[in-house]
Amino acid sequence: MNLLSRLYYRHKKFWKTFRLFLMIAGPGIIVMVADNDAGGITTYSVTGAQYSFHLIWFLVLLGPVAYFVQEMTVRLGAVTKRGHAEAIFHSFGAFWGWFSLLDLVLVDWLTMITEFIGMTAALSIFGVPPVITVIGACLIMGAMVLQGKYWTWEKIALVFCVLNLIYIPAAFMIHPPIDKIIHGSFIPHLPPGGFTNGLFFLIMANIGTTIAPWMIFFQQSAVVDKGMQEKDMFWGKIDTAAGAFLTVVVAAFCVILTATLIPGLPINDAATAAHLFMGINKYVGTLLAIGLFDAGLLGAICISLASSWAFGEVFGWAHSLNQNVKQAPWFYAYYFFTLIFAGTVVLIPGAPLVLITLFVQVIAVTLLPAALVFLIILLNDEETMGKYKNNWFQNFANISIVALIIVVSTLYGISAVFQNILK
Amino acid sequence: MISESFGSALDAVREINRKYNKPHIKMTRAVQLSLGLLRFYLLFLVGLLVWKFFSELHK
């Protein structure tokens, strides 16, 4: 009887804790899964096709990297109740504030265009014209925000996050060499051929896709809009850790897919991979195309909100998803402007889409180091953070990660501009 | 109407500049050094891009 009552108590306690987690979970999982956006899926697909399973261990290492950076935004948002843009204006003054805001706007617009490129390419596999894809995506994203509740928006976004896991069943459908993956993919090693320029570029691309400037702005603003308090911080961290785990799992399965089905084929993007898959296994090709559309949609959902929140915070507009259009007209106007602008560019015949994709990498390099440095400084400011400031271990981990990201993303940006540098 | 909305946008920017005129963070040596390095880094990047732009133009 005693054992039964103890079991019952534990069961009740577990479900109570789980329900609490479900209530607080959201921003961390969404931002991390959205990190596997159209550009991310493309990078993983190319990684798998070119280097088989040899770089999965590296993707696993990127999980903690993403967690450590994003965890800082949870603490900063919960303590200051300010989004990242507002925090920069407040702490570093107007010069750095405008620099960050305008850079964010530019990066977000350009990245949004790449998300739309991914979505239109994905649905073109099913014969859907780009104009229908763009209108459909805008309608979905519009409907998500216009219902007037942050909570509902978040739960719909979480459904799209679940859809992002589509790569897992897709990978199992093609019967990958599980033994080979388990025994040979998780121990750090170099792929056959050694350390080449091509490998270096792909490693940089994988790091570049793991931490993007919009992620920092998005999660901090989402934490504030959700009303997360200092007492919720623990669950916010678990939420972020769960998201980091999911992002690595999706990335690994994406690599497994292309490494198993199209090893050694010189593909440049995920849409090409999906086209090739359709010829080999149409079900897997279909899943990959759906996954790519979902990845682009998730990315676009988060990116458009990141800059709308940032503008709202700085200009003092009402900027919560809990407010309707009448209450926050400028917030929604900016949101829809971003959506329609990005969608329209993709539809312009002969638009320089490759140049835009290249530009994203370059502009992001100017914003990411600044956002990360501000994050570290703010997290070390006792007046701002009080007892939640970084401890020595967090500083050691975060400063090392930030230094690595700055060096690698700078090399990545420079190699995008000076393309012969790695040849 | 356009000049009116442009004027009100400029007013909003001026108001923001006034509101965030001074940084609120404690300017320790480490903070000053970080911001100085950041400025240098950004100038380096912008310089590199400008150089690339003009070298492409002269090709």
Side-chain angles (χ1 to χ4, degrees):
Chain A
M1 190 66 193
N2 193 21
L3 178 73
L4 274 178
S5 59
R6 237 186 294 163
L7 277 174
Y8 177 73
Y9 171 73
R10 279 196 187 161
H11 169 82
K12 289 280 277 183
K13 196 178 169 192
F14 170 79
W15 281 109
K16 196 178 163 189
T17 311
F18 188 64
R19 275 204 300 272
L20 190 65
F21 171 68
L22 286 184
M23 275 172 70
I24 293 169
I29 291 178
I30 293 170
V31 77
M32 289 291 192
V33 178
D35 178 35
N36 288 338
D37 60 353
I41 296 298
T42 287
T43 309
Y44 307 138
S45 304
V46 174
T47 303
Q50 286 188 13
Y51 292 100
S52 190
F53 309 109
H54 294 290
L55 289 179
I56 290 179
W57 63 270
F58 183 72
L59 293 175
V60 174
L61 287 183
L62 290 178
V65 169
Y67 169 77
F68 271 105
V69 171
Q70 292 301 126
E71 181 270 339
M72 287 194 281
T73 66
V74 177
R75 273 187 288 148
L76 192 54
V79 172
T80 63
K81 313 285 184 289
R82 289 192 187 103
H84 200 56
E86 193 184 355
I88 293 172
F89 265 93
H90 180 263
S91 299
F92 300 98
F95 170 77
W96 286 114
W98 285 117
F99 164 77
S100 302
L101 184 66
L102 297 177
D103 217 353
L104 176 76
V105 166
L106 191 59
V107 177
D108 281 0
W109 272 356
L110 295 171
T111 316
M112 279 282 286
I113 294 168
T114 64
E115 306 301 355
F116 273 102
I117 294 171
M119 283 189 275
T120 50
L123 291 197
S124 71
I125 290 167
F126 306 119
V128 180
V131 66
I132 301 292
T133 307
V134 168
I135 293 171
C138 287
L139 286 176
I140 293 171
M141 284 188 271
M144 278 177 76
V145 295
L146 287 179
Q147 42 71 36
K149 286 267 185 296
Y150 172 87
W151 196 90
T152 314
W153 172 87
E154 189 182 87
K155 298 312 162 205
I156 299 171
L158 282 172
V159 171
F160 287 121
C161 289
V162 172
L163 194 59
N164 202 253
L165 304 177
I166 205 165
Y167 296 100
I168 301 172
F172 280 110
M173 281 167 72
I174 55 168
H175 308 293
I178 295 174
D179 258 17
K180 192 178 165 191
I181 295 168
I182 290 174
H183 292 110
S185 307
F186 295 97
I187 300 156
H189 66 281
L190 283 177
F195 196 81
T196 59
N197 290 337
L199 174 66
F200 183 52
F201 188 80
L202 213 51
I203 283 177
M204 289 194 293
N206 275 293
I207 295 177
T209 195
T210 305
I211 292 293
W214 63 263
M215 292 170 68
I216 296 166
F217 287 81
F218 172 85
Q219 191 168 3
Q220 197 172 325
S221 294
V223 161
V224 175
D225 203 358
K226 187 164 182 152
M228 210 180 266
Q229 306 289 317
E230 289 163 25
K231 65 181 167 59
D232 305 322
M233 230 181 256
F234 171 75
W235 292 110
K237 289 178 184 185
I238 300 286
D239 173 41
T240 309
F245 174 74
L246 288 177
T247 197
V248 169
V249 168
V250 170
F253 274 93
C254 201
V255 167
I256 289 170
L257 264 173
T258 50
T260 308
L261 277 191
I262 49 170
L265 285 185
I267 57 162
N268 288 322
D269 54 65
T272 311
H275 268 292
L276 290 170
F277 282 9
M278 288 300 259
I280 303 166
N281 183 328
K282 71 174 181 177
Y283 297 110
V284 177
T286 303
L287 290 182
L288 186 62
I290 293 171
L292 180 60
F293 173 79
D294 180 63
L297 186 69
L298 256 178
I301 286 168
C302 295
I303 292 162
S304 51
L305 266 180
S307 37
S308 305
W309 267 323
F311 253 92
E313 288 157 12
V314 174
F315 278 82
W317 304 334
H319 57 275
S320 172
L321 285 174
N322 287 317
Q323 291 161 316
N324 60 32
V325 180
K326 274 187 185 169
Q327 292 166 317
W330 287 107
F331 171 67
Y332 288 107
Y334 184 81
Y335 177 84
F336 280 102
F337 172 70
T338 319
L339 272 189
I340 293 165
F341 174 83
T344 312
V345 169
V346 180
L347 298 179
I348 296 171
L353 300 181
V354 176
L355 193 69
I356 288 169
T357 312
L358 195 75
F359 232 72
V360 172
Q361 296 157 5
V362 178
I363 305 293
V365 162
T366 62
L367 179 59
L368 187 60
L372 290 172
V373 167
F374 294 145
L375 204 54
I376 294 276
I377 294 175
L378 286 169
L379 266 288
N380 276 291
D381 185 42
E382 189 131 29
E383 272 177 41
T384 307
M385 295 303 296
K387 63 177 180 177
Y388 297 104
K389 70 179 247 189
N390 272 358
N391 57 33
W392 73 267
F393 172 72
Q394 285 166 328
N395 265 336
F396 173 73
N398 289 328
I399 291 171
S400 313
I401 287 168
V402 165
L404 175 82
I405 290 174
I406 289 175
V407 170
V408 171
S409 64
T410 305
L411 287 173
Y412 184 49
I414 290 173
S415 58
V417 180
F418 302 92
Q419 291 189 348
N420 291 327
I421 214 164
L422 287 180
K423 282 179 185 168
Chain B
M1 189 181 162
I2 293 172
S3 67
E4 212 173 87
S5 54
F6 190 69
S8 66
L10 272 182
D11 284 345
V13 170
R14 271 193 216 107
E15 174 60 24
I16 292 165
N17 285 342
R18 195 191 54 73
K19 186 178 170 188
Y20 299 111
N21 188 23
K22 280 184 185 157
H24 284 83
I25 200 147
K26 200 173 166 188
M27 283 290 169
T28 60
R29 273 195 169 179
V31 173
Q32 282 175 331
L33 181 72
S34 308
L35 294 180
L37 285 175
L38 198 57
R39 273 202 179 92
F40 176 76
Y41 169 83
L42 291 171
L43 279 172
F44 165 74
L45 267 187
V46 171
L48 212 59
L49 291 176
V50 170
W51 180 74
K52 171 74 179 175
F53 178 75
F54 281 106
S55 62
E56 284 293 313
L57 272 185
H58 287 104
K59 260 185 185 173

